[in-house]
Amino acid sequence: MYFVLGTAVSFLINYFFYSSENMGLDIYYALAFGIAWGIAYYLDTPNFTLSQKLGISFAVMGVLVLIGTGLFSLELAIPSILKFSTVFVAYYMIASFRASKSLRK
């Protein structure tokens, strides 16, 4: 759910307000945004240690860069990890304000 909503909202914002004139790039950035929300939600359990959460998030960022570099270029792939890391940090910052320290509970 987080992945789908994050991807859809990000794509609509990019498409209507920024219009990069490259639909593939807009979809790629939207997917990076949605994947970040989905991974953050998935990892938001006590089953994962902090080091596991960081390791998985860095691995996903690496995959995003590899895919983005293959499809576009390294210069266009870098913003995807900036979007990913911003969303990932925002998710846990928002969760930290809750008593349960989780958005799942």
Side-chain angles (χ1 to χ4, degrees):
M1 181 175 84
Y2 276 80
F3 166 72
V4 172
L5 284 173
T7 301
V9 168
S10 178
F11 176 76
L12 292 172
I13 289 171
N14 283 336
Y15 183 75
F16 288 113
F17 295 110
Y18 297 117
S19 184
S20 71
E21 298 179 12
N22 186 342
M23 184 71 73
L25 192 59
D26 287 342
I27 291 170
Y28 173 69
Y29 289 156
L31 284 172
F33 191 88
I35 290 168
W37 278 111
I39 293 291
Y41 182 78
Y42 172 74
L43 295 176
D44 190 14
T45 67
N47 299 335
F48 293 102
T49 64
L50 180 59
S51 60
Q52 289 173 322
K53 290 177 184 181
L54 290 173
I56 291 170
S57 70
F58 282 127
V60 172
M61 283 190 279
V63 169
L64 282 171
V65 168
L66 288 175
I67 291 171
T69 302
L71 294 174
F72 307 105
S73 67
L74 182 60
E75 292 81 20
L76 295 175
I78 297 298
S80 71
I81 63 169
L82 296 175
K83 289 177 187 290
F84 182 94
S85 60
T86 301
V87 169
F88 202 80
V89 168
Y91 181 94
Y92 285 103
M93 188 179 82
I94 293 167
S96 72
F97 290 114
R98 296 191 55 172
S100 65
K101 303 295 183 210
S102 172
L103 294 181
R104 279 190 163 195
K105 297 178 186 176

